[in-house]
Amino acid sequence: GIQVTKRIDKLGMRSSDTAQIFFEDVRVPSKNLIGEEGRGFTYQMLQFQEERLWGVATVLTPLETIIQETIDYTRQRKVFDKSVLHNQAVHFRLAELATEVELLRSLLYRTIALYVEGNDVTKFASMAKLKAGRLAREVTDSCLQFWGGMGFTSEVLVSRFYRDLRLMSIGGGTDETMLSIICKHMETLPSK
């Protein structure tokens, strides 16, 4: 009763196989049941905050790495006999991106501290996840641009992060889902 479709070719995260799985008339022995029958979705919902915080934590190092690699690359890359990094637009933008990463880290640490104390962190975890997804797109897009033509190849890490980190705004709840959750906690979500 278990049918697995062929592997789905994805934009990024290529090392992680994805396929559709269909269950038809599958029986699970009661000794193999985890939790109460019919509560699977509830169990999934209960772990979302941890999943979202984990996602935020795992994106910080790649973002720092790509900023540093972009600094190193633009420092040695010359255009019109001048290092690309010496352009104010480039070094200012990299400084802004590094600042945004540090702000995200602060929000993550604050949220984790509240979580450890036993507080409901749904609003802050959603804010951090939203910011992480958007910042992942912003950092990778900006840095890829500074790599020029090399950034558009599969030879450099920035192009891989550009593809792979895009999932941050989708997995564990889309940006739009995060915004809905935040609005609900701010009591600005229109009533039904």
Side-chain angles (χ1 to χ4, degrees):
I2 300 173
Q3 178 189 0
V4 180
T5 64
K6 71 178 179 87
R7 182 178 172 263
I8 298 171
D9 188 28
K10 299 180 301 196
L11 169 69
M13 296 295 192
R14 295 172 181 260
S15 65
S16 168
D17 288 347
T18 301
Q20 288 183 306
I21 302 175
F22 296 96
F23 300 92
E24 188 173 325
D25 298 325
V26 174
R27 297 188 53 80
V28 177
S30 59
K31 68 177 183 172
N32 294 342
L33 188 64
I34 300 172
E36 294 178 40
E37 186 172 347
R39 297 204 20 106
F41 183 72
T42 302
Y43 295 141
Q44 176 69 29
M45 295 293 290
L46 291 173
Q47 65 81 42
F48 267 142
Q49 304 326 313
E50 290 138 352
E51 178 184 348
R52 291 169 181 155
L53 293 173
W54 173 84
V56 174
T58 61
V59 82
L60 291 172
T61 297
L63 294 180
E64 289 174 324
T65 299
I66 207 57
I67 290 169
Q68 188 57 55
E69 284 199 4
T70 301
I71 291 168
D72 297 342
Y73 180 75
T74 56
R75 178 175 281 131
Q76 59 88 22
R77 182 172 175 233
K78 304 275 191 237
V79 174
F80 303 117
D81 296 323
K82 182 169 87 169
S83 165
V84 171
L85 186 62
H86 286 120
N87 290 294
Q88 187 179 59
V90 175
H91 59 256
F92 274 16
R93 182 67 179 140
L94 292 169
E96 288 175 342
L97 294 172
T99 301
E100 292 292 324
V101 171
E102 287 306 315
L103 289 169
L104 178 59
R105 183 188 320 279
S106 294
L107 177 56
L108 174 66
Y109 286 3
R110 176 181 181 209
T111 305
I112 290 172
L114 289 168
Y115 178 79
V116 168
E117 292 171 0
N119 295 291
D120 177 8
V121 296
T122 304
K123 177 182 167 186
F124 291 132
S126 299
M127 288 176 163
K129 162 109 173 38
L130 174 68
K131 183 61 178 178
R134 291 183 170 182
L135 188 58
R137 295 197 315 263
E138 186 179 1
V139 168
T140 57
D141 186 63
S142 292
C143 288
L144 189 142
Q145 185 69 26
F146 295 147
W147 283 74
M150 271 311 285
F152 202 66
T153 70
S154 295
E155 303 294 316
V156 293
L157 195 56
V158 68
S159 66
R160 177 179 161 205
F161 285 167
Y162 181 84
R163 286 188 326 262
D164 289 352
L165 295 182
R166 182 60 178 87
L167 183 60
M168 188 66 199
S169 285
I170 300 168
T174 63
D175 286 0
E176 294 75 18
T177 300
M178 297 304 101
L179 287 166
S180 291
I181 293 168
I182 296 163
C183 287
K184 180 180 175 186
H185 283 268
M186 293 174 63
E187 299 180 356
T188 61
L189 196 62
S191 58
K192 295 179 182 173

